[in-house]
Amino acid sequence: MNPFKFGTIVENEFFTDRIEELATLKMHLDSENHIILISPRRFGKSSLVKKTLTQINRPSITINMQQVLSVTDLAEQLLKNVLALYPIEKYRHFLTHFRFVPSISTDALTGSLNVAFQPSIKEEVVLADVMALLENVSTPKARLIVVFDEFQEILAIQKGLDKQLRALMQQQHGLNYILLGSQESMMEDIFERKKSPFYHFGLMMRLRQIPEQDFRQYVTERLPKSTNTVQVVDDIFAFSHNHPYYTQQLASQVWEWMEYKHITDNVVEEAISQQIQEHDLDFERLWNSLNRTDRGVLKLLAEGHNPMQLRTISTSTTYSSLKRLQKAGFVIRTDSFMIEDPFFERWLRMQQ
């Protein structure tokens, strides 16, 4: 079985390191404090939270705000998750206090619950009653944890939703909120701008890269043993820049070539070439979706330049482009700006 996993929530033996972050999350969830967790996409926020929730063994629900279409849809998803979490006796009497009657049904094929509200019911009433239910089902011995993933999307769902949600959350007791976000500038604006409704709402944590020494040990222990394992690991990290997702992706491909094809010489470059070949059409589509300015900035980054220090494009235009590319997930910022996907970065250099 391939010992490396990527693309989904990483659990059990596939989860590596994050010992300090895990301890911090568990400590703060012992109180009624709330947590804001920020990092670039694919750094492992969801996996870290999932492992934390598994270890503390408390009831929890998770809402991906990217999949929320409206205020009513948010209320429906919250209610659906709560109904799936508790036996009907737990919440039946709470539903009698609703100012509306939700339509609840079961999908015959999947067994999952479906929830809907009458269109005539006001959105603010629906959301307020469902949010009240979250507090009501939570108990001192089994405090509910509510996770909002990609929380910065709240600004795009409906104007004023952040104020409405914050007004409801600040009145609640006996539960924890964990708010995840991958758009650092937007998350900072939501939680650190004084005029924002969520100003200083909870503990802000920034998830950094896994310490390279620990990550190297994790990869080394799982690769097939060969005379050049050290070099193979060096080549993997030189390419992936220690990015959690892409390190696992490349290590997974390298493991398959070493384990099944018994290739050890130049195995990392062979694995990289195969991945780029498989995603060539995807990369071409991404490239064609960009405007000329964004293409120029990406080319500079792929060549190892800092676009802000070059005069080929005006500073204001470059800054606007970097912000767009960050929001779209093409670029991340750690110590400096860099292309998020090293395979896409290599593809760009190959085109030139």
Side-chain angles (χ1 to χ4, degrees), residues 209-227:
Q209 290 174 312
I210 298 171
E212 187 168 325
Q213 183 176 355
D214 297 340
F215 207 2
R216 279 176 172 268
Q217 181 179 349
Y218 171 88
V219 172
T220 302
E221 290 174 351
R222 285 160 176 75
L223 284 176
K225 299 299 180 288
S226 71
T227 56

Side-chain angles (χ1 to χ4, degrees), residues 3-4 219-225 229 232-233 236 251 254-255 258:
F4 300 100
V219 172
T220 302
E221 290 174 351
R222 285 160 176 75
L223 284 176
K225 299 299 180 288
T229 300
V232 169
V233 174
I236 289 174
V254 167
W255 182 89
M258 295 179 72

Side-chain angles (χ1 to χ4, degrees), residues 107-137:
D107 190 307
L109 295 177
T110 64
S112 61
L113 291 172
N114 295 317
V115 174
F117 306 128
Q118 295 177 2
S120 59
I121 305 298
K122 292 183 178 180
E123 290 182 330
E124 59 268 23
V125 171
V126 171
L127 184 60
D129 284 6
V130 172
M131 290 293 290
L133 178 65
L134 300 181
E135 182 179 11
N136 290 333
V137 298

Side-chain angles (χ1 to χ4, degrees), residues 75-77 79-81 83 100 102-105 113-117:
E76 289 177 354
Q77 291 195 37
L79 183 56
K80 177 181 176 179
N81 277 269
L83 297 182
F100 56 90
S103 173
I104 303 172
S105 60
L113 291 172
N114 295 317
V115 174
F117 306 128

